[in-house]
Short mmCIF file of all heavy atoms in Angstrom, two decimals:
data_model
loop_
_atom_site.label_atom_id
_atom_site.label_comp_id
_atom_site.label_asym_id
_atom_site.label_seq_id
_atom_site.Cartn_x
_atom_site.Cartn_y
_atom_site.Cartn_z
N TYR V 310 -62.85 -75.25 -52.72
CA TYR V 310 -62.53 -74.42 -51.60
C TYR V 310 -63.68 -73.47 -51.35
O TYR V 310 -63.56 -72.21 -51.36
CB TYR V 310 -61.31 -73.61 -51.88
CG TYR V 310 -60.09 -74.44 -52.15
CD1 TYR V 310 -59.73 -74.69 -53.48
CD2 TYR V 310 -59.28 -74.87 -51.10
CE1 TYR V 310 -58.59 -75.47 -53.71
CE2 TYR V 310 -58.16 -75.68 -51.44
CZ TYR V 310 -57.86 -75.94 -52.75
OH TYR V 310 -56.72 -76.68 -53.00
N GLY V 311 -64.82 -74.02 -51.15
CA GLY V 311 -66.02 -73.17 -50.76
C GLY V 311 -66.03 -72.87 -49.33
O GLY V 311 -65.32 -73.49 -48.49
N PRO V 312 -66.99 -71.97 -48.84
CA PRO V 312 -67.08 -71.65 -47.43
C PRO V 312 -67.39 -72.93 -46.55
O PRO V 312 -66.81 -72.96 -45.45
CB PRO V 312 -68.26 -70.71 -47.38
CG PRO V 312 -68.96 -70.83 -48.66
CD PRO V 312 -67.90 -71.25 -49.71
N GLY V 313 -68.19 -73.80 -47.08
CA GLY V 313 -68.40 -75.06 -46.29
C GLY V 313 -67.22 -75.91 -46.14
O GLY V 313 -66.97 -76.54 -45.12
N ASP V 314 -66.37 -75.91 -47.12
CA ASP V 314 -65.09 -76.69 -47.11
C ASP V 314 -64.15 -76.13 -46.06
O ASP V 314 -63.48 -76.87 -45.35
CB ASP V 314 -64.35 -76.66 -48.50
CG ASP V 314 -65.34 -77.21 -49.56
OD1 ASP V 314 -65.58 -78.47 -49.49
OD2 ASP V 314 -65.76 -76.48 -50.39
N TYR V 315 -64.11 -74.81 -45.94
CA TYR V 315 -63.23 -74.16 -44.95
C TYR V 315 -63.73 -74.57 -43.55
O TYR V 315 -62.92 -74.93 -42.70
CB TYR V 315 -63.21 -72.73 -45.09
CG TYR V 315 -62.39 -72.15 -46.24
CD1 TYR V 315 -62.86 -71.15 -47.10
CD2 TYR V 315 -61.11 -72.61 -46.44
CE1 TYR V 315 -62.12 -70.67 -48.18
CE2 TYR V 315 -60.37 -72.18 -47.52
CZ TYR V 315 -60.87 -71.23 -48.38
OH TYR V 315 -60.11 -70.78 -49.47
N ALA V 316 -64.97 -74.39 -43.31
CA ALA V 316 -65.55 -74.71 -41.99
C ALA V 316 -65.36 -76.14 -41.58
O ALA V 316 -65.01 -76.47 -40.45
CB ALA V 316 -67.01 -74.26 -41.91
N ASP V 317 -65.64 -77.07 -42.55
CA ASP V 317 -65.50 -78.45 -42.26
C ASP V 317 -64.02 -78.77 -41.97
O ASP V 317 -63.75 -79.65 -41.09
CB ASP V 317 -66.01 -79.29 -43.43
CG ASP V 317 -67.56 -79.28 -43.60
OD1 ASP V 317 -68.23 -78.72 -42.66
OD2 ASP V 317 -68.09 -79.64 -44.68
N HIS V 318 -63.15 -78.18 -42.66
CA HIS V 318 -61.71 -78.47 -42.48
C HIS V 318 -61.31 -78.07 -41.04
O HIS V 318 -60.58 -78.80 -40.36
CB HIS V 318 -60.95 -77.64 -43.51
CG HIS V 318 -59.44 -77.80 -43.33
ND1 HIS V 318 -58.73 -78.76 -43.92
CD2 HIS V 318 -58.48 -76.97 -42.70
CE1 HIS V 318 -57.47 -78.68 -43.68
NE2 HIS V 318 -57.26 -77.58 -42.95
N GLY V 341 -64.83 -66.23 -39.83
CA GLY V 341 -66.13 -66.74 -40.36
C GLY V 341 -66.27 -68.21 -40.10
O GLY V 341 -67.43 -68.68 -39.77
N ALA V 342 -65.23 -68.96 -40.31
CA ALA V 342 -65.38 -70.40 -40.06
C ALA V 342 -65.62 -70.66 -38.59
O ALA V 342 -66.53 -71.57 -38.23
CB ALA V 342 -64.04 -71.07 -40.41
N LEU V 344 -67.13 -68.68 -36.38
CA LEU V 344 -68.55 -68.21 -36.11
C LEU V 344 -69.59 -69.23 -36.64
O LEU V 344 -70.50 -69.60 -35.87
CB LEU V 344 -68.81 -66.92 -36.76
CG LEU V 344 -70.14 -66.29 -36.50
CD1 LEU V 344 -70.35 -66.01 -35.05
CD2 LEU V 344 -70.33 -65.02 -37.30
N LEU V 345 -69.34 -69.81 -37.75
CA LEU V 345 -70.30 -70.77 -38.30
C LEU V 345 -70.27 -72.01 -37.44
O LEU V 345 -71.35 -72.57 -37.06
CB LEU V 345 -69.91 -71.09 -39.72
CG LEU V 345 -70.73 -72.32 -40.37
CD1 LEU V 345 -72.18 -72.06 -40.35
CD2 LEU V 345 -70.19 -72.58 -41.77
N LEU V 346 -69.09 -72.52 -37.03
CA LEU V 346 -69.04 -73.72 -36.25
C LEU V 346 -69.61 -73.50 -34.89
O LEU V 346 -70.20 -74.43 -34.31
CB LEU V 346 -67.54 -74.18 -36.13
CG LEU V 346 -66.94 -74.66 -37.42
CD1 LEU V 346 -65.42 -74.99 -37.22
CD2 LEU V 346 -67.64 -75.92 -37.94
N SER V 348 -72.12 -71.69 -34.20
CA SER V 348 -73.57 -71.69 -34.33
C SER V 348 -74.07 -73.14 -34.48
O SER V 348 -75.20 -73.44 -34.22
CB SER V 348 -73.97 -70.87 -35.55
OG SER V 348 -73.68 -71.50 -36.77
N ARG V 349 -73.15 -74.02 -35.02
CA ARG V 349 -73.53 -75.43 -35.21
C ARG V 349 -73.28 -76.30 -33.95
O ARG V 349 -74.09 -77.12 -33.63
CB ARG V 349 -72.75 -76.05 -36.34
CG ARG V 349 -73.05 -75.53 -37.78
CD ARG V 349 -72.09 -76.19 -38.78
NE ARG V 349 -72.43 -75.86 -40.15
CZ ARG V 349 -71.63 -76.17 -41.20
NH1 ARG V 349 -70.50 -76.90 -40.98
NH2 ARG V 349 -71.97 -75.86 -42.41
N VAL V 363 -65.77 -61.97 -41.21
CA VAL V 363 -66.63 -62.08 -42.42
C VAL V 363 -67.71 -63.12 -42.03
O VAL V 363 -67.58 -63.91 -41.15
CB VAL V 363 -65.86 -62.43 -43.64
CG1 VAL V 363 -64.85 -61.40 -44.05
CG2 VAL V 363 -65.25 -63.77 -43.55
N ILE V 364 -68.80 -63.09 -42.77
CA ILE V 364 -69.87 -64.13 -42.72
C ILE V 364 -69.73 -65.07 -43.85
O ILE V 364 -69.98 -64.61 -45.03
CB ILE V 364 -71.22 -63.48 -42.59
CG1 ILE V 364 -71.37 -62.55 -41.39
CG2 ILE V 364 -72.30 -64.47 -42.58
CD1 ILE V 364 -72.53 -61.68 -41.29
N LEU V 365 -69.36 -66.30 -43.64
CA LEU V 365 -69.17 -67.25 -44.71
C LEU V 365 -70.45 -67.43 -45.54
O LEU V 365 -71.53 -67.43 -44.95
CB LEU V 365 -68.75 -68.59 -44.17
CG LEU V 365 -67.43 -68.74 -43.56
CD1 LEU V 365 -67.01 -70.12 -43.25
CD2 LEU V 365 -66.24 -68.02 -44.46
N GLY V 366 -70.35 -67.32 -46.80
CA GLY V 366 -71.49 -67.35 -47.69
C GLY V 366 -72.02 -65.95 -48.03
O GLY V 366 -72.89 -65.79 -48.99
N ARG V 367 -71.50 -64.87 -47.35
CA ARG V 367 -71.84 -63.53 -47.69
C ARG V 367 -70.57 -62.73 -47.83
O ARG V 367 -70.30 -61.86 -46.92
CB ARG V 367 -72.70 -62.87 -46.50
CG ARG V 367 -74.11 -63.52 -46.33
CD ARG V 367 -74.87 -62.60 -45.34
NE ARG V 367 -76.14 -63.07 -45.05
CZ ARG V 367 -77.03 -62.42 -44.33
NH1 ARG V 367 -76.70 -61.22 -43.86
NH2 ARG V 367 -78.27 -62.91 -44.05
N PRO V 368 -69.79 -62.95 -48.91
CA PRO V 368 -68.55 -62.26 -49.00
C PRO V 368 -68.76 -60.71 -49.15
O PRO V 368 -69.70 -60.27 -49.86
CB PRO V 368 -67.99 -62.80 -50.25
CG PRO V 368 -69.11 -63.32 -51.04
CD PRO V 368 -70.05 -63.83 -49.99
N PRO V 434 -67.26 -74.27 -57.27
CA PRO V 434 -67.75 -73.31 -56.19
C PRO V 434 -67.58 -73.91 -54.80
O PRO V 434 -67.55 -73.14 -53.83
CB PRO V 434 -69.23 -73.21 -56.55
CG PRO V 434 -69.55 -74.52 -57.27
CD PRO V 434 -68.25 -74.83 -58.06
N GLY V 435 -67.35 -75.20 -54.65
CA GLY V 435 -67.18 -75.74 -53.31
C GLY V 435 -68.47 -75.81 -52.60
O GLY V 435 -69.58 -75.41 -53.12
N ARG V 436 -68.49 -76.24 -51.30
CA ARG V 436 -69.71 -76.45 -50.56
C ARG V 436 -70.28 -75.10 -50.02
O ARG V 436 -69.46 -74.29 -49.45
CB ARG V 436 -69.49 -77.33 -49.35
CG ARG V 436 -69.13 -78.80 -49.72
CD ARG V 436 -69.17 -79.72 -48.52
NE ARG V 436 -70.47 -79.55 -47.79
CZ ARG V 436 -70.64 -79.80 -46.52
NH1 ARG V 436 -69.60 -80.16 -45.76
NH2 ARG V 436 -71.75 -79.59 -45.95
N ALA V 437 -71.48 -74.90 -50.20
CA ALA V 437 -72.15 -73.72 -49.69
C ALA V 437 -72.47 -74.01 -48.15
O ALA V 437 -72.31 -75.08 -47.68
CB ALA V 437 -73.44 -73.46 -50.43
N VAL V 438 -72.94 -72.89 -47.55
CA VAL V 438 -73.34 -73.01 -46.09
C VAL V 438 -74.68 -72.47 -45.94
O VAL V 438 -75.25 -71.73 -46.73
CB VAL V 438 -72.23 -72.23 -45.20
CG1 VAL V 438 -70.94 -72.96 -45.28
CG2 VAL V 438 -72.19 -70.79 -45.55
N GLU V 439 -75.24 -72.83 -44.78
CA GLU V 439 -76.57 -72.28 -44.38
C GLU V 439 -76.42 -70.78 -44.08
O GLU V 439 -75.30 -70.26 -43.98
CB GLU V 439 -77.08 -73.06 -43.20
CG GLU V 439 -76.28 -72.95 -41.88
CD GLU V 439 -75.23 -74.01 -41.83
OE1 GLU V 439 -74.63 -74.45 -42.85
OE2 GLU V 439 -74.86 -74.36 -40.69
N ASP V 440 -77.58 -70.15 -43.90
CA ASP V 440 -77.55 -68.71 -43.51
C ASP V 440 -77.04 -68.60 -42.11
O ASP V 440 -77.73 -68.88 -41.14
CB ASP V 440 -78.99 -68.20 -43.65
CG ASP V 440 -79.06 -66.64 -43.36
OD1 ASP V 440 -78.00 -66.03 -43.09
OD2 ASP V 440 -80.16 -66.13 -43.38
N VAL V 441 -75.85 -68.16 -41.96
CA VAL V 441 -75.18 -68.00 -40.63
C VAL V 441 -75.95 -66.97 -39.84
O VAL V 441 -76.13 -67.15 -38.54
CB VAL V 441 -73.71 -67.66 -40.79
CG1 VAL V 441 -73.10 -67.53 -39.43
CG2 VAL V 441 -73.00 -68.68 -41.65
N VAL V 442 -76.36 -65.92 -40.40
CA VAL V 442 -77.01 -64.83 -39.56
C VAL V 442 -78.28 -65.42 -38.94
O VAL V 442 -78.57 -65.08 -37.82
CB VAL V 442 -77.33 -63.65 -40.52
CG1 VAL V 442 -78.15 -62.57 -39.74
CG2 VAL V 442 -76.03 -62.95 -41.02
N ALA V 443 -78.96 -66.24 -39.62
CA ALA V 443 -80.20 -66.77 -39.05
C ALA V 443 -79.92 -67.76 -37.87
O ALA V 443 -80.80 -67.99 -37.05
CB ALA V 443 -80.98 -67.55 -40.12
N ARG V 444 -78.62 -68.16 -37.76
CA ARG V 444 -78.30 -69.10 -36.74
C ARG V 444 -77.58 -68.44 -35.57
O ARG V 444 -77.12 -69.18 -34.62
CB ARG V 444 -77.37 -70.28 -37.35
CG ARG V 444 -78.04 -70.99 -38.41
CD ARG V 444 -77.01 -72.09 -38.94
NE ARG V 444 -76.57 -72.96 -37.86
CZ ARG V 444 -77.14 -74.08 -37.48
NH1 ARG V 444 -78.29 -74.49 -38.08
NH2 ARG V 444 -76.63 -74.76 -36.54
#
Side-chain angles (χ1 to χ4, degrees):
Y310 303 94
D314 302 292
Y315 286 135
D317 291 347
H318 178 86
L344 181 63
L345 173 59
L346 292 174
S348 75
R349 290 176 175 175
V363 299
I364 297 172
L365 294 189
R367 294 189 181 189
R436 291 191 57 204
V438 294
E439 64 271 29
D440 181 4
V441 181
V442 174
R444 299 180 57 89

